[in-house]
């Protein structure tokens, strides 16, 4: 069957032409390829002598002889130079094959086949170059046909996929790659063949025959054409880039590890809570480092045991019974909830808690078997690999002890599920670093919590328990400490009972935070109570307290004093400015304090202020106002006297003392907070507890930034019929008159059970006033929660209890007062002194009689 040669055949490349010579030696036929090769048309050549037409002059004699021999029937093959007509220079060489022939009449002729030697040499050179490149290339070279089978492959390709180069002819991509990769490469080959667009750096993954190692290749594909431009296949240049992938993966792993460590530095340890720190660790690790993770901490650490951390796990090393008790405080998972054991932190064989069939639940207390990898990690302080469960989803787990300051505080387990890479050495190092960073933060949190709890215990122990009681006052108080992330402060309040049913109300605030501030607060509060028992005036109490504060620390001088100026549009010092320089103030003891003494008989209250915010008073039907009490300098500064202000308060009025945390924050200036506080007290007639709650819920206190102390008292003066007040002349008959007045008053109050004791003790005090005192004598009886008797005189000499000698006829009066009264004492007054005693009101039970030992103690 005849078939035309397709365009781009071999004859097109090597330049084959033909012509014929007739019996007369002249060109008889001239083909088109000859015209193309020699550059002469048929009309120019036919009928001419080929020697004259093509040969140079010096070669013509030999050429004519050769033509003659050819016409005699001799074949000839040779290289013949030729020239173009009209040109003097030789243009090229032609290899001519001359075959004798005969015409129809039997005459001799010749058929000539000419090949352009130059074109032939170029083809040979191209083939040699192609063979050298194809055969010697260090890259795998493969040529796919239009049916996507391998047409040719070089030796390098064969060394990767086995056999000889020729063995790969006829194979398809399915013989080299798994189905997903084979389908992807086949689709790419089709696209390149159809569009002619080349593809560079096509990434392929496969396993060479006879190996189990996965390899990575980068493949460049381009379409191959024939000389006529017809697509004949796709050439592929494949490079093994496995090492490059490994290096890139290691570099990416290093970058990921650095990023994880950087993230860990930023995110772990932001809280001083143990459980929160554990969760922060897992937030960093999952899913960036592993698929799931758990954290176990020693139970002793979480319960705040005072034993050293090293002792938490010591007993299991000595007894070999298993690990010490641990509690699972955090877990995290990046896999589906449906996977069994994942959310419980399943870590494979050996990770289960002792006595359990599965991993511990969140919050559970457990132990690890002595020989389990987890117990070994806790015991040795080294990372242990936990075997995976072939039937489960976890295939690689690291048990990493959390070591801080050479002490193990817990264990973190990092796990990867099937489909993820197993942990390598670089991963072990990263896991150790992550656990160590979290361990340091957890240990710091433990130390902080211990100190914080001690400070809180100290602080709470120095505050009045519950709502204190006081004569003539309805009292409610609130104390809100800063949140767990905030250090304890130095805020305090106190309610101190004074003689004569008077009450001292105190609110103070030590500047700074931490245990030092709490200790300073405790010392100052103790000093206030001690000074209050001396029954000094409020200004004298603050002056003495200022001396105490200056003895506790060394003030920093003028720089701190400047911070208590009167600028900023407010006459009270702003604590926000001081707290912003906490580092400076934490080294000294500075405090603010307001001290008030309330007398329920007169409903008068005397105030003295040491740099504190002013008291607020809300009277029925009137808007709340700030009392104009000179603020004075804070305690510890010294050098300035304190002033007193006495205010008479109406029945039912509301008095509020508070610390700056209630009315001041970094977002709101002090004046705004004070105005809001006064508005919150617009209706003081509600129950006092409700008023306190309303204040705290209304004000934007930004609780957590600072402690808040609020002390509120509703004025309820003693009723006139609860007071007996008499003045007695300075004469002996006043002793009998005092007994008579006391007996009548107690009878009127239905306190007959106290008549005898009161008469006896009043007689002793009035007698002492006549004997040792001066001026007029004043007797006053007060009935409230107790009975108080006061004897006033103008003498300045304070009574002193002493033991009388056996021969003394007197000197036992104060001993008798001390034995029969619940309490007694004396205090200075602006015009002398007051000696008082206090008796408990009868509760229906008979009064206890003095024992023999008590009576003998007077002698």
């Amino acid at each position: 069957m005849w078939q035309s040669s397709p365009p781009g055949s071999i004859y097109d490349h090597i330049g084959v032409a033909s012509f014929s010579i007739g019996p007369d030696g002249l060109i008889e036929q001239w083909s088109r390829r000859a015209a193309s090769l020699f550059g002469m048309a048929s009309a120019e050549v036919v009928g001419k002598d080929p020697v004259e037409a093509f040969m140079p002059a010096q070669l013509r004699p030999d050429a004519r002889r050769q033509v003659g021999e050819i016409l005699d029937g001799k074949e000839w093959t040779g290289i013949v130079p030729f020239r173009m007509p009209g040109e003097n220079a030789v243009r090229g060489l032609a290899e001519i094959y001359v075959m004798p022939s005969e015409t129809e009449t039997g005459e001799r002729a010749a058929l000539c086949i000419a090949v352009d030697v130059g074109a032939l040499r170029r083809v040979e050179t191209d083939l040699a170059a192609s063979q050298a490149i194809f055969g010697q290339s260090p890259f795998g070279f493969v040529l796919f046909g239009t049916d996507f089978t391998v047409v040719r492959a070089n030796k390098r390709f064969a060394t990767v996929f086995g056999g000889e180069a020729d063995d790969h002819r006829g194979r398809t991509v399915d013989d080299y790659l798994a189905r997903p990769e084979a389908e992807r490469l086949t689709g790419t080959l089709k696209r390149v063949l159809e569009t002619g667009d080349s593809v560079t750096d096509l990434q392929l993954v496969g396993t060479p025959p006879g190996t189990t190692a996965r390899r990575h290749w980068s493949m460049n594909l381009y379409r191959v054409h024939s000389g006529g431009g017809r697509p004949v296949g796709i050439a592929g240049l494949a490079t093994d880039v496995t090492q490059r992938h490994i290096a890139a993966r290691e570099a990416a792993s290093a970058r990921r590890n650095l990023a994880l460590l950087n993230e860990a530095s930023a995110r772990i340890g932001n809280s001083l809570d143990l459980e929160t720190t554990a969760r922060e660790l897992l937030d960093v690790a999952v899913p960036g480092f592993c698929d799931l993770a758990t954290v176990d901490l020693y139970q002793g650490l979480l319960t705040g045991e005072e034993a050293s951390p090293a002792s938490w796990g010591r007993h299991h090393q000595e007894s070999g019974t298993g690990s010490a008790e641990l509690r699972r405080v955090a877990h995290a998972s990046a896999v589906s909830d449906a996977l069994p054991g994942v959310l419980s932190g399943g870590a494979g064989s050996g990770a289960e808690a002792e006595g359990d069939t599965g991993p511990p639940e969140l919050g559970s207390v457990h132990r690890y078997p002595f020989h389990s990898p987890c117990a070994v990690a806790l015991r040795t302080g080294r990372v242990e690999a936990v075997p995976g469960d072939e039937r489960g989803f976890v295939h690689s787990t690291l048990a990493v002890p959390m070591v801080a300051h050479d002490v193990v505080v817990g264990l973190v387990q990092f796990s990867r599920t099937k489909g993820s890479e197993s942990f390598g050495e670089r991963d072990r190092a990263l896991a150790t670093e992550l656990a160590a960073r979290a361990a340091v933060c957890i240990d710091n949190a433990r130390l902080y919590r211990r100190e914080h709890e001690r400070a809180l215990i100290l602080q709470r122990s120095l505050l009045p328990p519950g709502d204190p009681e006081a004569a003539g006052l309805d009292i409610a108080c609130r104390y809100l400490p800063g949140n767990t992330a905030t250090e304890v402060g130095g805020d305090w309040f106190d309610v101190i009972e004074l003689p004569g049913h008077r009450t001292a109300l105190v609110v103070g605030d030590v500047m700074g935070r931490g245990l030092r501030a709490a200790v300073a607060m405790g010392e100052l509060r103790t000093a206030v109570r001690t000074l209050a028992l001396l029954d000094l005036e409020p200004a004298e109490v603050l002056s003495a307290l200022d001396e105490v504060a200056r003895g506790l620390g060394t003030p920093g001088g003028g720089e701190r004093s400047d911070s208590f100026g009167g600028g900023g549009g407010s006459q009270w010092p702003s604590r926000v400015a001081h707290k912003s320089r906490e580092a400076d103030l934490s080294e000294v003891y500075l405090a603010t304090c307001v001290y008030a003494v309330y007398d329920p008989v007169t409903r008068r209250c005397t105030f003295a202020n040491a740099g504190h915010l002013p008291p607020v008073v809300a009277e029925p039907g009137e808007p709340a106002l700030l009392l104009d009490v000179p603020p004075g300098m804070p305690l510890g500064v010294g050098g300035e006297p304190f002033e007193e202000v006495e205010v008479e308060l109406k029945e039912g009025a509301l008095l509020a003392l508070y610390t700056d945390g209630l009315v001041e924050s970094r977002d709101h200036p002090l004046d705004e907070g004070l105005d809001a506080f006064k508005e919150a007290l617009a209706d003081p007639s509600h129950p006092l507890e409700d008023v306190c709650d309303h204040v705290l819920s209304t004000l934007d206190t930004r609780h957590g930034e600072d402690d808040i102390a609020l002390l509120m008292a509703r004025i309820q003066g003693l009723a006139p019929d609860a007071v007996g007040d008499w003045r007695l002349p300075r004469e002996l008959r006043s002793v009998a008159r005092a007994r008579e007045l006391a007996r009548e008053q107690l009878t009127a109050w239905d306190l007959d059970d106290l008549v005898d004791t009161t008469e006896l003790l009043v007689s002793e005090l009035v007698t002492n006033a006549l004997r040792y005192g001066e001026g007029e004598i004043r007797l006053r009886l007060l009935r409230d929660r107790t009975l108080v008797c006061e004897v006033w005189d103008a003498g300045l000499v304070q009574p002193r209890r002493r033991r009388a000698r056996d021969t003394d006829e007197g000197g036992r009066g104060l001993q008798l007062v001390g034995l029969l009264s619940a309490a007694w004492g004396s205090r200075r007054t602006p015009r002398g002194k007051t000696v008082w005693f206090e008796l408990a009101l009868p509760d229906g039970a008979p009064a206890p009689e003095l024992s023999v030992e008590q009576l003998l103690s007077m002698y």
Side-chain angles (χ1 to χ4, degrees):
M1 181 172 127
W2 293 94
Q3 179 178 354
S4 61
S5 177
S9 69
I10 188 63
Y11 302 106
D12 295 330
H13 293 283
I14 62 177
V16 177
S18 64
F19 61 92
S20 63
I21 302 175
D24 55 1
L26 302 178
I27 295 177
E28 187 175 65
Q29 292 182 342
W30 188 255
S31 68
R32 292 181 180 178
R33 288 186 179 271
S36 174
L37 175 63
F38 296 104
M40 300 178 67
S42 177
E44 301 176 64
V45 177
V46 173
K48 293 185 178 181
D49 184 356
V51 175
E52 293 291 335
F54 307 113
M55 301 298 292
Q58 66 273 18
L59 299 177
R60 288 174 183 174
D62 291 339
R64 287 192 177 95
R65 185 178 64 252
Q66 293 292 340
V67 171
E69 292 178 356
I70 292 171
L71 292 177
D72 288 338
K74 184 179 179 181
E75 292 187 2
W76 179 83
T77 302
I79 302 297
V80 177
F82 63 88
R83 61 179 178 83
M84 294 292 293
E87 295 182 359
N88 297 323
V90 177
R91 181 171 180 246
L93 295 175
E95 183 177 354
I96 299 178
Y97 176 47
V98 183
M99 297 173 289
S101 63
E102 292 182 356
T103 65
E104 293 179 354
T105 59
E107 294 180 298
R108 294 182 181 268
L111 177 63
C112 301
I113 304 296
V115 178
D116 186 355
V117 175
L120 188 60
R121 296 293 183 267
R122 287 194 298 272
V123 171
E124 292 175 349
T125 302
D126 290 345
L127 288 175
S130 175
Q131 181 63 29
I133 295 174
F134 193 84
Q136 302 174 17
S137 172
F139 308 111
F141 198 95
V142 62
L143 181 63
F144 294 96
T146 55
D147 59 352
F148 310 124
T149 60
V150 176
V151 175
R152 188 176 181 187
N154 66 353
K155 291 183 178 180
R156 180 61 179 171
F157 186 86
T159 58
V160 175
F161 292 98
E164 299 295 332
D166 292 339
D167 296 339
H168 293 273
R169 295 179 185 272
R171 292 184 179 179
T172 65
V173 294
D174 294 307
D175 297 321
Y176 304 105
L177 300 174
R179 179 178 295 275
E181 291 290 86
E183 291 177 350
R184 190 162 65 91
L185 178 57
T186 301
T188 305
L189 291 173
K190 290 181 179 179
R191 187 170 65 253
V192 172
L193 183 63
E194 292 172 357
T195 65
D197 297 333
S198 61
V199 173
T200 59
D201 198 23
L202 176 64
Q203 298 293 315
L204 299 172
V205 180
T207 304
T211 67
T212 58
R214 291 166 60 87
R215 308 295 294 178
H216 294 260
W217 296 284
S218 172
M219 199 165 194
N220 298 329
L221 299 172
Y222 58 92
R223 191 168 67 182
V224 179
H225 303 84
S226 66
R230 179 175 58 87
V232 295
I234 305 100
L237 185 66
T239 306
D240 191 328
V241 293
T242 304
Q243 293 302 320
R244 188 173 73 187
H245 269 264
I246 294 174
R249 187 168 61 248
E250 291 181 351
S253 176
R255 287 193 299 270
R256 181 199 64 186
N257 293 353
L258 289 175
L260 276 175
L261 291 177
N262 182 62
E263 184 180 6
S265 300
R267 297 180 61 181
I268 299 177
N270 293 320
S271 169
L272 288 173
D273 179 74
L274 300 177
E275 290 83 353
T276 301
T277 302
R279 288 192 296 270
E280 290 170 347
L281 167 62
L282 300 193
D283 289 342
V284 172
V286 179
F289 177 67
C290 60
D291 298 318
L292 44 113
T294 62
V295 176
D296 299 321
L297 297 179
Y298 276 120
Q299 180 71 352
L301 180 147
L302 294 168
T303 56
E305 293 181 8
E306 290 298 325
S308 64
S311 66
W312 292 328
R314 182 179 299 151
H315 82 279
H316 74 87
Q317 299 182 38
E318 298 171 349
S319 62
T321 58
S323 70
E325 287 188 340
L326 298 109
R327 186 193 305 172
R328 178 143 297 177
V329 297
H331 66 197
S333 173
V335 295
S336 171
D337 294 352
L339 299 183
V342 164
L343 289 183
S344 299
S349 175
E352 290 77 10
E354 187 176 27
D356 266 338
T357 58
E361 297 292 334
L362 183 64
S364 64
V365 178
H366 59 92
R367 300 174 186 267
Y368 287 110
F370 184 81
H371 295 292
S372 67
C374 295
V376 173
L378 290 168
R379 193 161 57 246
T380 62
R382 294 191 299 268
V383 180
E384 292 290 329
V386 180
D389 186 356
E390 294 297 331
R391 297 171 298 173
F393 292 91
V394 175
H395 77 96
S396 183
T397 297
L398 294 179
V400 186
M402 306 178 74
V403 183
H405 311 299
D406 296 328
V407 174
V408 178
V409 298
L411 181 77
V412 57
Q413 295 182 66
F414 301 108
S415 300
R416 289 179 178 173
T417 57
K418 291 184 177 179
S420 300
E421 293 185 5
S422 299
F423 290 110
E425 287 302 318
R426 191 189 301 272
D427 294 324
R428 293 171 69 97
L430 177 61
T432 303
E433 179 65 22
L434 289 174
R437 294 194 179 199
V440 171
C441 295
I442 287 175
D443 194 53
N444 290 340
R446 176 187 67 85
L447 295 175
Y448 168 80
R449 187 177 67 176
R450 185 185 66 184
E451 298 303 318
H452 189 260
E453 289 176 350
R454 290 177 178 177
L456 286 177
I457 292 172
L458 171 63
Q459 191 176 40
R460 303 302 183 272
S461 67
L462 297 175
L463 296 174
D467 289 333
E469 295 182 355
L473 293 175
D474 181 14
I475 295 177
C477 53
R478 294 289 186 275
Y479 184 85
L480 301 179
N483 57 34
T484 55
T486 305
E487 291 186 275
V488 294
D491 293 14
W492 90 91
F493 68 91
D494 209 346
V495 178
I496 307 170
E497 294 187 62
L498 299 178
H501 286 314
R502 294 171 305 128
T503 303
L505 304 175
V506 189
V507 168
D509 188 357
V510 176
M511 297 180 186
R513 290 190 176 279
L515 189 59
R516 288 172 55 86
V519 170
M521 177 270 284
E523 293 175 323
L524 291 177
R525 179 179 181 272
T526 302
V528 169
R529 296 189 70 87
T530 302
L531 294 170
L533 293 178
L534 297 178
D535 214 352
L536 303 176
E537 296 297 323
E540 294 177 319
V541 170
L542 293 186
S543 296
L545 197 60
D546 179 59
E547 295 292 335
V548 173
R550 281 190 287 168
L552 295 178
T554 304
E559 183 181 38
R560 278 187 300 277
S561 297
D562 293 342
S563 64
F564 291 94
S570 176
Q571 61 175 324
W572 304 288
S574 172
R575 287 293 307 282
V576 170
H578 303 304
K579 289 177 182 176
S580 66
R581 300 190 302 174
E582 183 178 321
D584 180 35
L585 295 177
S586 64
E587 299 301 323
V588 299
Y589 292 95
L590 292 178
T592 63
C593 179
V594 60
Y595 184 89
V597 175
Y598 172 69
D599 188 343
V601 178
T602 62
R603 293 201 314 277
R604 301 187 70 83
C605 191
T606 305
F607 298 91
N609 192 353
H612 202 79
L613 297 173
V616 175
V617 173
E619 296 183 343
E622 300 291 337
L625 54 87
L626 300 176
L627 290 181
D628 187 13
V629 180
M633 299 299 289
L635 302 175
V637 175
E640 295 292 335
F642 297 98
E643 301 182 40
E644 292 181 359
V645 172
E646 188 176 59
V647 179
E648 183 175 351
L649 302 174
K650 293 183 180 180
E651 185 76 17
L654 194 63
L655 174 65
L657 306 179
Y658 52 95
T659 56
D660 62 319
L662 181 69
V663 295
E664 186 178 21
S665 69
R666 298 185 184 275
D667 298 328
H668 298 283
L670 175 60
D671 290 337
E672 290 184 8
L674 290 173
D675 292 339
F677 184 29
K678 290 187 291 183
E679 291 178 5
L681 297 177
D683 189 359
S685 60
H686 291 292
L688 204 54
E689 294 291 337
D690 295 343
V691 175
C692 286
D693 295 336
H694 176 69
V695 168
L696 295 177
S697 62
T698 302
L699 269 64
D700 184 12
T701 60
R702 296 298 175 97
H703 179 229
E705 293 182 359
D706 194 5
D707 293 352
I708 295 174
L710 174 62
L711 177 61
M712 305 187 75
R714 176 169 284 127
I715 303 302
Q716 298 173 350
L718 290 181
D721 59 359
V723 180
D725 195 351
W726 305 275
R727 297 183 183 275
L728 302 173
R730 191 170 187 78
E731 53 189 34
L732 290 177
R733 63 186 181 90
S734 292
V735 177
R737 178 58 178 162
R739 288 198 299 269
E740 180 183 356
L741 292 172
R743 181 174 58 255
E744 292 175 354
Q745 185 64 69
L746 292 182
T747 301
W749 286 341
D750 294 330
L751 297 178
D752 296 336
D753 293 341
L754 300 181
V755 170
D756 294 339
T757 302
T758 304
E759 281 191 40
L760 175 60
L761 300 185
V762 165
S763 176
E764 291 292 337
L765 295 187
V766 172
T767 300
N768 282 346
L770 289 173
R771 181 175 299 177
Y772 306 108
E774 299 177 6
E776 187 181 40
I777 299 173
R778 182 181 177 187
L779 172 64
R780 189 167 74 167
L781 294 177
L782 306 176
R783 186 198 64 183
D784 192 69
R785 292 178 296 114
T786 61
L787 175 67
V788 174
C789 175
E790 298 176 332
V791 175
W792 306 43
D793 70 81
L796 298 177
V797 178
Q798 296 291 323
R800 181 172 61 88
R801 182 177 177 179
R802 63 183 180 86
R803 181 177 296 278
R805 291 174 296 184
D806 294 344
T807 58
D808 291 343
E809 295 182 0
R812 298 178 177 85
L814 292 182
Q815 294 186 51
L816 187 61
V817 172
L819 287 174
L820 297 179
S821 65
W824 78 278
S826 67
R827 67 178 186 273
R828 291 182 302 166
T829 63
R831 292 179 297 276
K833 67 176 181 296
T834 299
V835 182
W836 58 272
F837 66 84
E838 183 176 346
L839 296 175
L841 298 182
D843 55 3
E849 297 182 357
L850 295 178
S851 64
V852 176
E853 290 77 8
Q854 290 175 320
L855 292 174
L856 291 177
S857 66
M858 296 188 298
Y859 297 94

